[in-house]
């Protein structure tokens, strides 16, 4: 068995852990932004291809206390690096240090690199490494004086699915789009609608979830070059992912926006993702949306402007007020809104049934979830 670490945006750990469980792997540890689990070499391929909420998948080489540079050096030098890195291979180093005595990342990088060179020099009997072969990105993570040393198996970040070369002014990361869709529990018999669809990330991820299409199918990963990951593991993982696709599922998904340019991006992205037939794209103002039929059941999941990269704050606040009035017409639909505005509920005119803290890149946000019978927000006179 090997130890693997899947990283994610803060707030997505629970969903990522559930995905790892679904792969049949055993979780060992969960902390902010990462889940450690046990697996086989073949699970490197399966995790990279199938995890929707992960940013990267790492092979964990070891973990040890590191309160000084000497401890960091000795800890890295004790790792069996020669089992993974050849004498001609490249092994650049990067990492992070949080809440630790060792806080200078450049100094830690230098120490980790020197220790790796010394270990490999002793193993191969050479002093100079050409670093022209396979690239093994070494990553360290020092948290509360405990150092974890890993090899990145993903390469290009997993949120870069490959279907979205073009995006709008404030694109949502694909992994976060998947998490938002998963949180709403999409179903084939319930209309799924994003009235601020932009380049289509949320609806594309929802369509892929409903059809059980693996997010990493068809793209390449760093570990495809690693000789110690069996080549057949990648073929088997791809074949497994393909066998799980539900081609007989025909969801009803609406994607609307006021910007025809980004709608065209969204259509092209959906086509590249292979879900264009699942989604109806059309131009519409979110303030004007209505149920297609009086008895149609539906769910709205959206990421409206925050006033950070799109629209000025007074415009955003007016929009949120209008959304409250417009979305009231959709009752008893479930509504999920992601925004960084701390007074969203007050502006929207309704208290959320549940609020979940998430991060859109580096922007702290809240996912406001409305799924119970509507009750008005009791505004404080001091507000």
């Amino acid at each position: 068995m090997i130890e693997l670490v899947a990283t994610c945006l803060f707030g997505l750990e629970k969903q990522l852990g559930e995905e790892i469980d679904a792969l049949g792997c055993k979780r060992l540890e969960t902390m902010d932004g990462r889940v450690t689990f046990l697996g086989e070499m073949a699970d490197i391929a399966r995790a990279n291809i199938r995890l929707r909420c992960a940013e990267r998948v790492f092979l964990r080489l070891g973990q040890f206390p590191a309160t000084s540079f000497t401890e960091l050096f000795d800890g890295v030098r004790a790792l069996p690096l020669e089992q993974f890195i050849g004498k001609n291979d490249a092994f650049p180093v990067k990492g992070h240090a949080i809440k630790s005595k060792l806080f200078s990342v450049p100094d830690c990088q230098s120490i980790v690199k020197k220790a790796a060179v010394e270990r490999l020099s002793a193993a191969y009997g050479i002093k100079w490494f050409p670093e022209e072969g396979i690239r093994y990105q070494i990553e360290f993570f020092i948290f509360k004086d405990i150092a974890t040393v890993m090899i990145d198996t993903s390469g290009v970040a997993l949120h870069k699915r490959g279907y979205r070369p073009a995006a709008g002014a404030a694109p949502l990361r694909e992994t976060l789009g998947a998490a938002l869709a998963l949180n709403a529990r999409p179903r084939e018999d319930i209309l799924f609608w994003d009235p601020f669809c932009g380049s289509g990330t949320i609806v594309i991820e929802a369509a892929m979830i409903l059809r059980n299409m693996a997010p990493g199918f068809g793209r390449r990963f760093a570990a495809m070059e690693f000789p110690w990951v069996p080549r057949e593991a990648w073929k088997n993982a791809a074949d497994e992912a393909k066998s799980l696709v539900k081609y007989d599922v025909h969801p009803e998904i609406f994607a609307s926006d006021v910007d025809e340019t980004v709608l065209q991006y969204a259509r092209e992205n959906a086509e590249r993702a292979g879900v264009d037939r699942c989604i109806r794209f059309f131009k519409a103002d979110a303030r004007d949306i209505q149920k297609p039929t009086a008895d149609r059941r539906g769910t709205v999941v959206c990421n409206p402007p925050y006033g950070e990269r799109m629209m000025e704050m007074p415009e955003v606040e007016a929009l949120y007020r209008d959304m409250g009035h417009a979305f009231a017409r959709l009752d008893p639909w479930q509504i999920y809104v992601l925004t960084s505005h701390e007074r969203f509920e007050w502006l929207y005119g309704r208290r959320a049934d549940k609020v979940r803290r998430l991060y859109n890149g580096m922007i702290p946000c809240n996912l406001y979830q409305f799924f119970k019978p509507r009750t008005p927000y009791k505004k404080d006179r001091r507000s």
Side-chain angles (χ1 to χ4, degrees):
M1 300 293 285
I2 56 174
E3 293 185 0
L4 299 171
V5 179
T7 58
C8 64
L9 295 173
F10 290 162
L12 304 190
E13 298 84 2
K14 181 176 183 294
Q15 286 168 305
L16 176 57
E18 290 170 350
E19 288 192 282
I20 289 168
D21 293 344
L23 288 179
C25 298
K26 181 181 179 181
R27 279 188 267 176
L28 297 177
E29 179 186 22
T30 299
M31 62 179 295
D32 288 350
R34 60 191 59 219
V35 180
T36 303
F37 60 102
L38 281 176
E40 307 285 349
M41 281 296 181
D43 291 317
I44 291 176
R46 297 176 69 239
N48 274 292
I49 289 173
R50 290 175 55 188
L51 293 180
R52 299 183 191 279
C53 297
E55 292 296 316
R56 294 181 184 276
V57 177
F58 295 92
L59 170 69
R60 186 159 84 172
L61 300 177
Q63 191 174 69
F64 49 86
T67 58
S68 67
F69 288 133
T70 298
E71 284 188 325
L72 180 61
F73 184 92
D74 291 343
V76 174
R77 187 176 54 183
L79 299 175
L81 299 177
E82 67 278 3
Q83 293 181 14
F84 306 98
I85 302 171
K87 62 181 180 180
N88 295 315
D89 296 333
F91 48 103
V93 175
K94 63 181 180 180
H96 307 276
I98 301 173
K99 298 180 181 179
S100 298
K101 293 183 177 65
L102 299 179
F103 57 84
S104 171
V105 171
D107 288 338
C108 291
Q109 283 179 291
S110 179
I111 294 297
V112 172
K113 182 70 174 185
K114 288 178 181 177
V117 167
E118 183 165 314
R119 173 76 190 207
L120 294 171
S121 292
Y124 294 119
I126 57 177
K127 296 294 183 182
W128 182 78
F129 293 86
E131 299 204 45
E132 297 173 345
I134 297 170
R135 187 175 189 272
Y136 293 95
Q137 179 66 62
I138 295 176
E139 182 151 335
F140 64 87
F141 178 62
I142 308 174
F143 180 69
K144 293 184 177 179
D145 299 323
I146 300 296
T148 302
V149 180
M150 307 169 290
I151 291 176
D152 181 6
T153 71
S154 300
V156 176
L158 298 181
H159 73 263
K160 297 184 177 180
R161 317 285 206 220
Y163 64 71
R164 200 181 70 178
L172 190 74
R173 192 172 289 193
E174 292 89 329
T175 44
L176 181 54
L180 295 179
L182 284 167
N183 187 83
R185 302 184 182 277
R187 288 170 43 184
E188 185 180 8
D189 60 337
I190 297 178
L191 171 63
F192 187 99
W193 192 342
D194 180 0
F196 296 93
C197 76
S199 55
T201 305
I202 294 175
V203 290
I204 290 171
E205 293 294 328
M208 293 174 68
I209 290 166
L210 283 162
R211 283 201 159 180
N212 204 28
M213 298 170 65
F217 187 80
R219 59 157 284 184
R220 294 195 61 78
F221 307 95
M224 286 179 165
E225 304 298 323
F226 300 172
W228 36 269
V229 180
R231 288 192 177 275
E232 61 269 21
W234 296 100
K235 181 182 183 304
N236 293 342
D239 288 345
E240 179 186 32
K242 189 174 181 179
S243 72
L244 295 172
V245 177
K246 300 175 181 178
Y247 293 103
D248 58 339
V249 170
H250 302 286
E252 185 175 21
I253 300 175
F254 284 5
S256 55
D257 201 285
V258 293
D259 188 336
E260 183 58 48
T261 300
V262 296
L263 276 171
Q264 186 55 37
Y265 291 157
R267 293 185 186 99
E268 293 168 1
N269 293 340
E271 184 175 0
R272 276 185 287 267
V275 295
D276 50 308
R277 295 186 179 182
C278 299
I279 306 169
R280 178 191 166 199
F281 293 97
F282 56 97
K283 185 175 180 179
D285 191 315
R287 291 168 284 208
D288 298 328
I289 67 172
Q290 298 190 36
K291 295 179 183 180
T293 59
D295 60 346
R296 188 69 175 102
R297 298 172 65 194
T299 297
V300 168
V301 181
C302 62
N303 175 45
Y306 308 160
E308 305 244 2
R309 291 175 288 186
M310 294 178 64
M311 301 177 68
E312 296 298 324
M313 190 56 69
E315 295 177 284
V316 167
E317 292 184 345
L319 172 63
Y320 291 169
R321 290 188 180 96
D322 292 342
M323 284 170 58
H325 295 300
F327 289 6
R329 297 192 298 264
L330 303 177
D331 274 354
W333 286 18
Q334 295 186 0
I335 310 290
Y336 300 85
V337 182
L338 181 73
T339 176
S340 64
H341 201 302
E342 293 294 340
R343 296 175 72 237
F344 171 78
E345 291 169 297
W346 190 88
L347 294 163
Y348 187 75
R350 182 180 174 188
R351 187 176 295 281
D353 299 308
K354 185 177 181 181
V355 180
R356 180 179 172 192
R357 193 67 163 176
L358 296 173
Y359 282 77
N360 185 359
M362 297 301 294
I363 303 173
C365 298
N366 285 320
L367 177 62
Y368 296 94
Q369 306 173 63
F370 306 90
F371 42 75
K372 294 179 181 178
R374 183 180 180 86
T375 55
Y377 187 90
K378 294 182 180 179
K379 298 183 179 181
D380 191 320
R381 291 179 180 178
R382 294 170 296 176
S383 300

